[in-house]
Amino acid sequence: MFQSAEIGHSVSKSKYREAVPKLREALLEAQARLYEEKRSPVLILISGEDGAGKRETIHVLYEWMDPRFLSTLAFEDPTDEERERPEMWRYWQSLPPKGQIGIFAGSWYSEPIRRRIKGKISQKDLDARAEQINRFEAMLVNEGALVLKFWIHLSEDAQRQRLEDLQSNPQTAWRVTSWNWKRLKTYDKLQDVAGHLLRLTDSAWAPWIVVEGTDEKYRSLRIGQVVESALSARNAQNVKPAEIAKTKVELPAANLQVQAGPPVTPFLRLVTDGRSVLSAMDLSLRRSDKAYARELADLQGRLSVLARDPRFKKRSLVLAFEGADAAGKGGAIRRISAALDARQFQIVPVAAPTEEERAQPHLWRFWRKLPRQGHITIFDRTWYGRVLVERVEGFCSESDWYRAYGEINDFEHELVEAGAIVVKFWLQISQEEQLKRFHEREQIGFKRFKITQEDWRNREKWDAYQQAICDMVERTSTGEVPWTLVEANDKNYARVKILRTLCDRLDECLG
Amino acid sequence: MFQSAEIGHSVSKSKYREAVPKLREALLEAQARLYEEKRSPVLILISGEDGAGKRETIHVLYEWMDPRFLSTLAFEDPTDEERERPEMWRYWQSLPPKGQIGIFAGSWYSEPIRRRIKGKISQKDLDARAEQINRFEAMLVNEGALVLKFWIHLSEDAQRQRLEDLQSNPQTAWRVTSWNWKRLKTYDKLQDVAGHLLRLTDSAWAPWIVVEGTDEKYRSLRIGQVVESALSARNAQNVKPAEIAKTKVELPAANLQVQAGPPVTPFLRLVTDGRSVLSAMDLSLRRSDKAYARELADLQGRLSVLARDPRFKKRSLVLAFEGADAAGKGGAIRRISAALDARQFQIVPVAAPTEEERAQPHLWRFWRKLPRQGHITIFDRTWYGRVLVERVEGFCSESDWYRAYGEINDFEHELVEAGAIVVKFWLQISQEEQLKRFHEREQIGFKRFKITQEDWRNREKWDAYQQAICDMVERTSTGEVPWTLVEANDKNYARVKILRTLCDRLDECLG
């Protein structure tokens, strides 16, 4: 991986002086256009060995570009807000919006490398992490981001020389500490670990660009040129974000494929025997008012105790509610929230994304609402919007919603890994029951806000929705985070089933 | 303050049963309309003595209203993110957007009361805090918020009785700890302190509503009714947010006046002798390229050292840049950022507010960008937009921009109180110089993005802008945070003056 960066690349002073003004103008031009047209978010990762010139490179980028539309993301020890959420949360919070450039001084690569060197994780763990990273970056690129990953390399000799030079100059001696010399001793180990991780994560859509760090002029020019050419290429593309993924920035590679070519989903619409997880549901299931009253009180009491369980203080709960319009999500949620302390939970009604949310990957708006430890977030409609309403209404392309299955599974897996308990419900009602409820709503004052023209329109696509739901359940009901399908024609039955499922899951996860 | 809440208010079971369904429907109706029309943010503060029924009241509000558009804000020990910013930061982060209701279980009143009881602050400190709170709440109301502050009161006897009842029931005994009994001993002190603070902060625009807590039915009904009537009154108003302030919710009072009546600002346009802080500036000031190069290097070195000063680790720096179009803000900022570590600073270019920002008070978008300790935020255009472009272009009413002077002074004062160093620059150029620079920009490729039709239009209002700038300087140049007016016809001169002022201020504040 690093061989080509030990061959003594260098650029003469005169060549540098000649190249920089043109490059700078091209960079500013490309950056201004990117910003004006809010085209893509751009992520530039600056990584590499200590003293290879990471700090200096960032400095040069600020000098050559308009610093007002750059931001540098550095990650120190996690804050308590960060510690209580999945590892990737801090990076999601730092993603630049469309049109802006985020320079990552430290990234999702830093921790795995550090831990592997210290022997805190195994080689297999590292490989699994690489796979996760590939999927994360593929998601970013498919969502329209431009991802440029630089590794600035310095041979061991060059690194030693650099430290000695710094130390001998009184102006810079403060920058060299015993920590630097100690790090130099682990040079080989770093080469092994980083080299391995870089190979596994060198993809066509988010390539690694290894740059020799010894000669400052070469290093700066090389990185500036790559950034400029990537930005200009992006500006020249007259395509939708989803298709941008097909255009590679540089270097071949790939152990995982980002979407390309025509969609392969027609098989989803094949009907072989007409049975489905939905048609197999018994919507006639009912609970009498009397039994309901008793069970509701019992289950709410049980939930209330579970939410105050000391073991829950180190966990969090993410509840996801999906269902057709008027399926009773709101009522079910109210029966849950009634058993909880209002200071402990937050209900997030999911409607159309805001302007800030539209400038980010589709999962971003859910990441920003994740609960801290000991807390609960209840989503009324969820990240499944992309494979339901967005799919059926054609708000995104076929390949967009198809890849969302994997992205969603990854998202939920990260939540579970971080100790969150994730429980998701689909509330199913029949078409007749929905019609009846729509008419009821029109009669009730405060409920008339809940029924709109759109609700009526959605009904017309009933079959398409049923198909989308079946596919969703099939592709995202995992062992860790299964779907619970709820027969919801009878509200009593549905609420009891939801509360019981929730209590059982909490018991199981806390036990 | 509390006498009327010790007279044994109560509501019979039958009256309660009769009242609740109607109240509930009215609440849901009012809430739905508020949400649909994104009319106002609503802040409901639930405070009072321990065991007076705060928790239960919040619970009832959730039961009666749609919990999906409620959020409860509870404030535990500050997180490290919170500790490193002004005290009010966490409350700004928690403000509900327009159309939503935020229930504050704990608020900006909790800390002052707690500290005064413990003797950590003096009576005078408390009074000063009350004044700050009044101004903060007036700002919220003027920005369109509805603020309802409940104090649930329980007499000492009733409180003792309540604890004994809870303790004797095995189901609820866990809720009573030795802490509760200890708190009871400070009852009188709490009455004194809270009573005093409530009196000082009982304003027509954000009244305190004291509710007797002994009878649960009375308490719930009373609070529900007040919320309903306030929401309905707000929905019935067909006025702009700025005017809402004039309508009081209940109770008279006030030691401070929120705007009302016709604007009183015509005096601002009186010209007596034609001299102003701007006309008094000597725009012919220049620095030769040679002197500039030397001074720039010196000052950047000095700034770089100051930013790494260990004493800065507990401070933060907020830099504000304002100036006419093409006055050279970007170039000046670049000379500052070049001396800093990119991981330490963030540049915030201020353009039109986003959708999420428009749903909040005008200062909200600056609060969200405040630096942590040891960090620097550079604002390229600032919170002064309201008294500059918004005033001149008529984007807000005269009373809106006039009150902004006070709000801005409060904002900067809070920053300074929290240890931030705030430095603000106005870059002044002549009309001729601006014209010259506009023409130059049109010639340069990457700069053509910087010059728009709007820039040309703004020029036509030159005099109005000059007037607005003079008023701004006069009203917001405080001892703590003075304006530095920069003669910017010569870029060399301007940059040196800015860097020197900044270094001097840092020296002074860290020394």
Side-chain angles (χ1 to χ4, degrees):
Chain A
M1 197 85 207
F2 304 124
Q3 266 182 329
S4 68
E6 295 197 353
I7 59 178
H9 283 292
S10 72
V11 164
S12 71
K13 214 170 192 173
S14 63
K15 198 182 159 195
Y16 185 76
R17 281 213 182 135
E18 197 197 316
V20 167
K22 275 184 217 147
L23 174 59
R24 216 196 131 191
E25 181 158 348
L27 273 170
L28 284 167
E29 169 92 38
Q31 191 191 8
R33 211 172 139 199
L34 182 90
Y35 183 74
E36 286 304 314
E37 299 174 6
K38 302 264 172 284
R39 201 169 264 267
S40 291
V42 177
L43 289 78
I44 300 179
L45 274 60
I46 302 288
S47 19
E49 283 106 31
D50 293 321
K54 287 175 286 187
R55 183 203 305 245
E56 293 79 358
T57 297
I58 295 174
H59 208 85
V60 165
L61 289 175
Y62 269 78
E63 214 179 289
W64 290 352
M65 300 174 87
D66 189 330
R68 290 178 296 177
F69 310 113
L70 293 177
S71 56
T72 291
L73 296 319
F75 301 92
E76 297 157 30
D77 289 336
T79 66
D80 32 15
E81 290 272 355
E82 290 169 347
R83 260 193 305 275
E84 298 189 7
R85 294 190 174 85
E87 199 178 314
M88 292 301 285
W89 188 73
R90 48 170 27 193
Y91 304 113
W92 275 90
Q93 301 293 310
S94 307
L95 291 180
K98 283 183 186 137
Q100 301 213 27
I101 300 175
I103 300 178
F104 285 75
S107 68
W108 41 94
Y109 289 97
S110 321
E111 272 299 285
I113 291 177
R114 197 184 61 79
R115 283 197 220 149
R116 178 64 193 128
I117 289 179
K118 291 201 168 183
K120 289 192 177 171
I121 58 172
S122 69
Q123 190 71 17
K124 264 195 183 155
D125 293 336
L126 189 70
D127 291 359
R129 198 85 191 86
E131 189 62 18
Q132 280 186 331
I133 288 175
N134 278 330
R135 296 164 70 90
F136 172 67
E137 291 175 352
M139 179 280 298
L140 288 176
V141 170
N142 279 322
E143 289 283 318
L146 176 61
V147 182
L148 297 171
K149 306 185 294 192
F150 292 98
W151 184 275
I152 311 180
H153 177 75
L154 214 54
S155 68
E156 193 170 1
D157 287 345
Q159 205 172 346
R160 188 182 319 275
Q161 187 59 49
R162 197 180 168 88
L163 287 182
E164 279 164 6
D165 288 350
L166 282 172
Q167 209 159 32
S168 62
N169 180 344
Q171 287 255 297
T172 55
W174 62 272
R175 286 176 52 188
V176 183
T177 65
S178 60
W179 182 85
N180 295 98
W181 290 111
K182 225 164 90 186
R183 278 281 284 217
L184 189 57
K185 287 190 188 143
T186 60
Y187 183 87
D188 287 343
K189 187 84 189 154
L190 173 66
Q191 296 300 301
D192 283 353
V193 173
H196 180 74
L197 188 58
L198 263 62
R199 270 188 300 275
L200 292 185
T201 55
D202 184 27
S203 60
W205 58 90
W208 276 106
I209 304 124
V210 177
V211 178
E212 184 165 348
T214 326
D215 181 64
E216 196 177 326
K217 292 188 290 301
Y218 168 78
R219 184 182 73 210
S220 305
L221 208 55
R222 173 83 184 156
I223 293 175
Q225 283 168 343
V226 172
V227 170
E228 191 278 319
S229 85
L231 290 181
S232 297
R234 172 56 50 96
N235 282 333
Q237 281 172 318
N238 208 356
V239 290
K240 286 184 304 175
E243 290 167 52
I244 286 172
K246 291 177 208 160
T247 324
K248 51 183 182 168
V249 187
E250 197 169 285
L251 305 170
N255 46 350
L256 184 120
Q257 235 2 287
V258 178
Q259 65 191 44
V264 290
T265 54
F267 71 88
L268 286 177
R269 281 184 293 272
L270 276 180
V271 178
T272 305
D273 76 346
R275 271 187 74 78
S276 74
V277 286
L278 295 180
S279 72
M281 290 174 81
D282 178 3
L283 294 183
S284 71
L285 287 169
R286 275 180 173 31
R287 191 66 104 238
S288 73
D289 286 349
K290 209 175 148 186
Y292 168 68
R294 188 177 24 97
E295 287 179 287
L296 181 70
D298 280 356
L299 287 164
Q300 286 183 331
R302 197 175 146 206
L303 177 58
S304 162
V305 171
L306 282 163
R308 289 197 313 264
D309 190 300
R311 287 167 296 184
F312 185 66
K313 287 211 166 60
K314 286 278 161 198
R315 308 294 294 268
S316 65
L317 175 62
V318 175
L319 281 173
F321 281 87
E322 285 287 355
D325 297 317
K329 297 184 296 294
I333 289 172
R334 201 145 46 235
R335 298 316 178 285
I336 290 172
S337 65
L340 301 171
D341 185 330
R343 292 167 298 185
Q344 196 182 15
F345 72 87
Q346 194 196 3
I347 302 174
V348 178
V350 174
T354 66
E355 179 187 342
E356 290 182 38
E357 289 167 344
R358 286 193 302 273
Q360 296 283 2
H362 73 106
L363 287 171
W364 185 78
R365 58 189 184 131
F366 306 103
W367 275 95
R368 71 195 294 216
K369 298 290 185 186
L370 292 185
R372 295 183 63 175
Q373 285 177 0
H375 289 256
I376 297 166
T377 303
I378 305 174
F379 289 95
D380 181 1
R381 300 205 185 277
T382 66
W383 43 96
Y384 286 96
R386 182 152 272 209
V387 298
L388 295 171
V389 59
E390 289 188 49
R391 165 182 169 174
V392 174
E393 306 293 336
F395 294 157
C396 65
S397 72
E398 190 145 349
S399 47
D400 277 340
W401 60 257
Y402 195 78
R403 70 181 159 81
Y405 295 123
E407 290 165 4
I408 287 172
N409 286 333
D410 287 345
F411 171 53
E412 294 178 357
H413 177 69
E414 286 179 75
L415 282 170
V416 170
E417 268 199 326
I421 300 163
V422 185
V423 190
K424 53 193 190 193
F425 297 101
W426 173 264
L427 278 68
Q428 177 71 4
I429 51 172
S430 66
Q431 234 175 327
E432 300 71 41
E433 180 63 26
Q434 188 187 43
L435 190 63
K436 201 183 110 206
R437 293 189 186 177
F438 276 16
H439 285 309
E440 278 168 13
R441 284 192 173 180
E442 288 183 319
Q443 306 305 314
I444 302 173
F446 65 86
K447 283 199 174 177
R448 66 163 196 273
F449 290 100
K450 294 173 82 174
I451 179 102
T452 63
Q453 276 306 314
E454 209 186 309
D455 294 319
W456 289 104
R457 263 199 312 277
N458 288 345
R459 263 181 75 75
E460 290 165 18
K461 299 187 174 153
W462 186 269
D463 290 339
Y465 272 105
Q466 300 303 300
Q467 184 58 51
I469 299 156
C470 291
D471 294 335
M472 169 186 85
V473 172
E474 179 168 333
R475 277 154 217 291
T476 61
S477 206
T478 61
E480 286 179 330
V481 188
W483 272 102
T484 299
L485 303 181
V486 181
E487 298 79 358
N489 267 8
D490 179 60
K491 289 181 180 177
N492 291 351
Y493 180 85
R495 290 169 187 172
V496 165
K497 178 165 178 176
I498 288 168
L499 271 164
R500 176 162 297 131
T501 306
L502 174 57
C503 289
D504 289 349
R505 281 292 300 284
L506 281 171
D507 254 336
E508 181 193 323
C509 293
L510 298 181
Chain B
M1 196 86 207
F2 305 124
Q3 266 182 329
S4 68
E6 295 197 352
I7 59 178
H9 283 293
S10 72
V11 164
S12 71
K13 214 171 193 172
S14 62
K15 197 182 160 195
Y16 185 75
R17 281 211 182 136
E18 197 197 315
V20 166
K22 275 183 218 151
L23 175 59
R24 214 194 134 193
E25 181 157 347
L27 274 170
L28 285 166
E29 169 92 38
Q31 192 191 5
R33 208 169 142 204
L34 182 91
Y35 183 74
E36 286 304 314
E37 300 175 5
K38 303 260 172 287
R39 200 169 264 267
S40 290
V42 177
L43 288 79
I44 300 179
L45 274 59
I46 302 289
S47 19
E49 282 105 33
D50 294 321
K54 287 175 286 187
R55 183 201 307 243
E56 293 80 358
T57 297
I58 295 174
H59 209 86
V60 164
L61 290 175
Y62 270 78
E63 215 180 288
W64 290 352
M65 302 175 87
D66 189 331
R68 290 177 296 177
F69 310 113
L70 294 177
S71 56
T72 291
L73 296 319
F75 302 92
E76 298 158 30
D77 288 337
T79 66
D80 30 8
E81 290 272 355
E82 290 168 348
R83 260 194 304 273
E84 297 188 8
R85 293 190 174 85
E87 200 178 314
M88 292 300 285
W89 188 74
R90 47 168 30 190
Y91 305 113
W92 275 90
Q93 302 294 309
S94 307
L95 292 180
K98 282 183 185 137
Q100 301 213 27
I101 300 175
I103 299 178
F104 286 76
S107 67
W108 40 95
Y109 289 96
S110 321
E111 272 299 286
I113 291 177
R114 198 185 60 78
R115 282 196 220 149
R116 178 64 193 130
I117 289 179
K118 291 200 168 183
K120 288 191 176 171
I121 59 173
S122 70
Q123 189 71 16
K124 263 196 183 155
D125 293 336
L126 188 70
D127 291 359
R129 198 86 191 84
E131 190 62 17
Q132 279 185 331
I133 289 174
N134 278 330
R135 296 163 70 90
F136 172 68
E137 291 175 352
M139 179 280 298
L140 288 176
V141 170
N142 278 322
E143 289 282 317
L146 177 62
V147 182
L148 296 171
K149 307 184 295 193
F150 291 98
W151 184 274
I152 311 180
H153 177 75
L154 215 54
S155 69
E156 193 170 1
D157 287 346
Q159 205 172 346
R160 188 182 318 277
Q161 188 59 48
R162 198 181 167 91
L163 286 182
E164 279 164 6
D165 289 351
L166 282 171
Q167 208 159 33
S168 63
N169 180 344
Q171 289 256 295
T172 55
W174 62 272
R175 286 176 51 188
V176 182
T177 64
S178 60
W179 182 84
N180 296 97
W181 291 111
K182 224 164 89 186
R183 278 282 284 218
L184 189 56
K185 287 191 187 141
T186 60
Y187 183 88
D188 287 342
K189 186 87 188 151
L190 174 65
Q191 296 300 301
D192 283 353
V193 173
H196 180 75
L197 188 58
L198 263 62
R199 270 188 301 275
L200 291 185
T201 55
D202 184 28
S203 58
W205 57 91
W208 274 106
I209 303 124
V210 176
V211 178
E212 184 165 350
T214 325
D215 181 63
E216 197 177 327
K217 292 189 289 302
Y218 169 79
R219 184 182 72 211
S220 305
L221 208 55
R222 173 84 183 154
I223 293 176
Q225 283 169 343
V226 172
V227 170
E228 192 278 319
S229 85
L231 290 181
S232 297
R234 174 55 51 96
N235 283 332
Q237 282 173 317
N238 208 357
V239 291
K240 286 184 305 176
E243 289 167 50
I244 286 171
K246 291 177 209 161
T247 323
K248 51 185 181 166
V249 186
E250 197 170 284
L251 306 171
N255 46 350
L256 186 121
Q257 238 359 289
V258 179
Q259 65 191 43
V264 290
T265 53
F267 72 87
L268 286 178
R269 281 184 292 274
L270 277 178
V271 178
T272 306
D273 77 344
R275 270 189 75 79
S276 73
V277 286
L278 295 180
S279 71
M281 290 174 81
D282 178 3
L283 294 183
S284 71
L285 287 169
R286 276 178 173 34
R287 192 66 105 235
S288 73
D289 286 348
K290 208 173 149 189
Y292 169 68
R294 187 177 24 97
E295 287 179 288
L296 180 70
D298 280 355
L299 287 163
Q300 286 183 330
R302 197 176 144 205
L303 177 58
S304 162
V305 171
L306 282 162
R308 289 197 313 266
D309 190 299
R311 287 167 296 183
F312 186 64
K313 288 210 165 59
K314 286 278 162 197
R315 308 294 294 267
S316 65
L317 176 62
V318 175
L319 280 174
F321 280 87
E322 286 287 355
D325 297 316
K329 296 185 294 295
I333 290 172
R334 202 145 47 234
R335 297 315 177 288
I336 291 172
S337 66
L340 301 171
D341 184 329
R343 292 167 298 185
Q344 196 182 15
F345 72 87
Q346 192 197 4
I347 301 173
V348 178
V350 175
T354 67
E355 179 187 341
E356 290 182 38
E357 289 166 345
R358 286 192 302 272
Q360 297 282 3
H362 73 106
L363 287 171
W364 185 79
R365 58 189 184 131
F366 306 103
W367 275 96
R368 72 195 293 215
K369 298 289 186 189
L370 292 185
R372 296 183 63 174
Q373 285 177 0
H375 288 256
I376 297 165
T377 303
I378 305 174
F379 289 95
D380 181 1
R381 299 204 185 277
T382 67
W383 44 96
Y384 286 96
R386 183 153 271 209
V387 298
L388 294 172
V389 60
E390 290 188 49
R391 164 181 170 175
V392 174
E393 305 293 335
F395 295 157
C396 66
S397 72
E398 189 145 350
S399 47
D400 278 340
W401 60 257
Y402 195 77
R403 70 180 159 82
Y405 294 123
E407 290 166 3
I408 286 172
N409 285 333
D410 287 346
F411 170 53
E412 294 178 357
H413 177 69
E414 286 179 75
L415 282 169
V416 169
E417 269 199 325
I421 300 162
V422 185
V423 190
K424 52 193 190 194
F425 297 100
W426 173 265
L427 278 68
Q428 177 72 5
I429 51 172
S430 66
Q431 233 175 328
E432 300 69 44
E433 180 64 27
Q434 188 187 43
L435 189 64
K436 201 182 109 206
R437 293 189 186 176
F438 276 14
H439 285 309
E440 278 168 13
R441 284 192 173 180
E442 288 183 319
Q443 306 306 314
I444 303 173
F446 65 87
K447 283 199 174 177
R448 66 162 194 274
F449 290 100
K450 294 173 81 173
I451 179 101
T452 63
Q453 276 307 313
E454 208 186 311
D455 293 320
W456 289 105
R457 262 198 313 279
N458 288 346
R459 264 181 73 76
E460 291 165 17
K461 300 186 175 155
W462 186 269
D463 291 340
Y465 272 104
Q466 300 304 301
Q467 184 58 52
I469 298 155
C470 290
D471 294 335
M472 168 185 86
V473 172
E474 179 169 333
R475 277 153 216 290
T476 61
S477 206
T478 61
E480 286 178 330
V481 188
W483 273 102
T484 299
L485 303 181
V486 181
E487 298 80 357
N489 267 9
D490 180 60
K491 289 181 181 176
N492 291 351
Y493 180 84
R495 290 169 187 171
V496 166
K497 177 165 179 177
I498 288 168
L499 271 163
R500 176 161 298 131
T501 306
L502 173 57
C503 289
D504 288 350
R505 282 292 300 283
L506 282 171
D507 254 336
E508 180 192 324
C509 293
L510 298 180

